[in-house]
Amino acid sequence: MDNGTRWFEKSGPMGDVVCSTRVRLARNLKQYPFPARASAAQKAEIEEKVKNALLSGNSILSGEFRFVPLEELSDTQAIALVERHVVSPEFVSDRRGKAVLVSEDESLSIMINEEDHLRIQVMRSGLSLKEAAETADRLDTLLGESLDFAFDPQLGYLTQCPTNLGIGMRASVMLHLPALTETGAISRIAANLSKLGMTLRGSYGEGSGVIGGMYQLSNQITLGLSEGEALANLSTISDQLIGEEKKARRALTETIVAQDQIERAVGVLKSARLLSTEECMKLLSLLRLGLSTGLLTGIGYEELNALSFRVQPCTLSAGKPLTEAQRDALRAETVRQVCAKIKE
C-alpha cells in the first residue's frame, strides 16, 4: 500500500476549500445477523465471502485490492489507516473478526464487519461527488453479483443503525473553513445545516474535534431519498459554503492581523525543530489560507495535502517505535523540507 501516488497526494476541483470527497455505502448480507450479534465463526464466513466476491470478480477493479486482516496489524499500523481515512476510528477499536480490502492508492476500501457487514468507501481529492459515487456504484454492483444484500422493497437497504436505512449512503466533503471559523459564523451555519438534513463535524466524523478549520460536511438523511437527490443536496450546500468561505477569506486576509499570522506560520514551518501534531495542523491551516488568497506561493495544494497526512503520528512513524519527542522532531524535519519552497 505504500507504492505509487496515493489519492491524498493530489489536488482536485475546488481544492482551495475542498480537500477531499468521500462516498460510503453500508451493505449487509441477508443470511447473517448484523456484526454486533454475529459470532466469530459467522464473521469469518462473511470475511471470506466478501473477499472472494471482490477478488474473484470479473472486473478490472478486482485486481486493485489487497486483503488486510486487522488482527495482523500493530496498533500503530491500524491507527495509521484511520489517519489516512482508509478506515473509521470505530473499526480499529476492536480488531477481532475484522478485515479491510484496500486499493493500492488507498482511494478505495471495503471495511468488513464494521457496524455493517460491508462499508464500501471511495475517496477522491477535491469536490468530486459524482465521480466518487459512480465508482462506489461500480463496486456495489460488482459485489452484488455474488453477494445477497439485505434489501426491503419499502425500506431499502437494511442496516444495523436505522439512520442508514434506505440508500445506505453517506457522502461527505472535507472542507477547509478557517475564515468562517475565525468570524464565528460557523456555529450559525452548523445549526442551519442540521435543519436541512446535513451535519458538520470534525475531520474524523462523529465525536472528533476540529483542528485547523477542517470540517466534514455529510448527509444525515438516507431514507426516502434517492442517491442522486442526496448527492445533489450535498453538492448545493457545498457550493454555498465554498462561496461564503471565499468571501470571508478575502475580508479576513486584508487585515494586518491575519497577514501577520500567516507570515509567522511560514516562519515557524520553515525553521521549527519540534512540532506537535496539533500545532502543525494549525500552522498548515494558515499556510493553506495564505496559498488560497495569493499571499503565499511556491507549493501546490497536492504537496500540502500530502504533507497534512504524512505528519500524522502513526503515519509519520511508518510502523517504527518512536517516542513523542522523536515524532515531533521528524515531523518538523518533514515540514521544513516541503515548506522551504514557500515564497512570501
Side-chain angles (χ1 to χ4, degrees):
M1 291 184 288
D2 293 323
N3 299 323
T5 301
R6 289 182 276 195
W7 74 267
F8 54 80
E9 298 172 334
K10 305 172 185 176
S11 179
M14 299 291 180
D16 54 340
V17 178
V18 185
C19 299
S20 63
T21 296
R22 184 188 73 193
V23 171
R24 183 184 286 175
L25 303 178
R27 299 289 186 262
N28 288 281
L29 304 189
K30 186 179 292 184
Q31 64 270 43
Y32 292 94
F34 292 129
R37 293 294 183 91
S39 67
Q42 288 172 322
K43 288 181 179 180
E45 287 181 22
I46 292 164
E47 269 192 20
E48 195 65 20
K49 283 180 180 290
V50 175
K51 176 184 175 183
N52 290 337
L54 182 66
L55 301 185
S56 302
N58 186 26
S59 168
I60 192 170
L61 285 173
S62 300
E64 296 185 19
F65 286 85
R66 173 183 173 185
F67 181 73
V68 183
L70 255 61
E71 292 181 65
E72 294 182 5
L73 300 180
S74 67
D75 289 347
T76 300
Q77 290 171 323
I79 295 170
L81 291 178
V82 175
E83 292 173 347
R84 300 197 298 275
H85 295 286
V86 175
V87 300
S88 64
E90 297 79 14
F91 191 53
V92 302
S93 59
D94 181 356
R95 304 201 291 275
R96 292 172 298 178
K98 297 179 180 180
V100 61
L101 285 150
V102 58
S103 65
E104 200 67 26
D105 69 352
E106 298 186 349
S107 66
L108 311 176
S109 62
I110 301 170
M111 288 173 271
I112 306 174
N113 292 324
E114 198 228 32
E115 183 177 74
D116 294 287
H117 295 151
L118 292 86
R119 286 289 175 93
I120 302 166
Q121 178 177 281
V122 178
M123 301 291 301
R124 289 287 183 268
S125 299
L127 185 60
S128 307
L129 283 164
K130 182 174 181 289
E131 295 81 357
E134 287 174 349
T135 302
D137 185 60
R138 288 203 301 273
L139 271 173
D140 187 32
T141 301
L142 172 62
L143 290 163
E145 290 175 356
S146 54
L147 298 176
D148 193 7
F149 293 140
F151 184 85
D152 180 87
Q154 278 74 46
L155 296 175
Y157 288 103
L158 303 181
T159 56
Q160 182 164 299
C161 182
T163 58
N164 289 322
L165 273 175
I167 55 177
M169 184 191 76
R170 286 296 176 101
S172 64
V173 289
M174 193 73 70
L175 298 163
H176 183 228
L177 306 175
L180 291 175
T181 302
E182 181 67 24
T183 59
I186 201 70
S187 56
R188 169 185 56 82
I189 291 170
N192 290 335
L193 286 173
S194 65
K195 300 172 187 175
L196 300 173
M198 301 283 169
T199 182
L200 200 62
R201 294 169 171 159
S203 55
Y204 289 96
E206 188 173 1
S208 62
V210 176
I211 300 177
M214 290 290 182
Y215 296 85
Q216 186 186 97
L217 173 70
S218 61
N219 67 303
Q220 277 187 307
I221 299 173
T222 61
L223 187 61
L225 286 178
S226 69
E227 289 187 5
E229 289 170 330
L231 291 168
N233 292 344
L234 183 58
S235 181
T236 298
I237 298 298
S238 297
D239 287 341
Q240 292 174 358
L241 276 175
I242 291 167
E244 288 192 44
E245 171 64 22
K246 287 186 174 182
K247 182 180 177 181
R249 285 183 186 186
R250 287 192 291 270
L252 180 65
T253 53
E254 286 177 358
T255 68
I256 193 169
V257 173
Q259 293 169 9
D260 180 68
Q261 288 177 329
I262 290 168
E263 299 224 359
R264 283 175 183 268
V266 173
V268 175
L269 290 168
K270 283 185 171 184
S271 60
R273 290 296 184 267
L274 292 172
L275 277 177
S276 68
T277 307
E278 184 171 351
E279 181 184 13
C280 184
M281 296 309 293
K282 289 178 178 178
L283 293 171
L284 291 179
S285 173
L286 288 165
L287 172 55
R288 186 180 288 273
L289 177 60
L291 290 171
S292 71
T293 53
L295 293 175
L296 303 173
T297 59
I299 66 171
Y301 292 118
E302 64 279 358
E303 292 173 279
L304 185 52
N305 291 342
L307 184 60
S308 297
F309 281 90
R310 286 172 58 200
V311 298
Q312 298 305 312
C314 293
T315 298
L316 185 70
S317 299
K320 301 172 186 175
L322 300 178
T323 65
E324 185 176 345
Q326 288 172 326
R327 283 199 307 269
D328 290 352
L330 180 56
R331 182 179 295 110
E333 180 185 351
T334 303
V335 166
R336 288 199 310 272
Q337 290 174 353
V338 176
C339 294
K341 298 183 290 183
I342 297 171
K343 299 174 184 177
E344 302 170 49

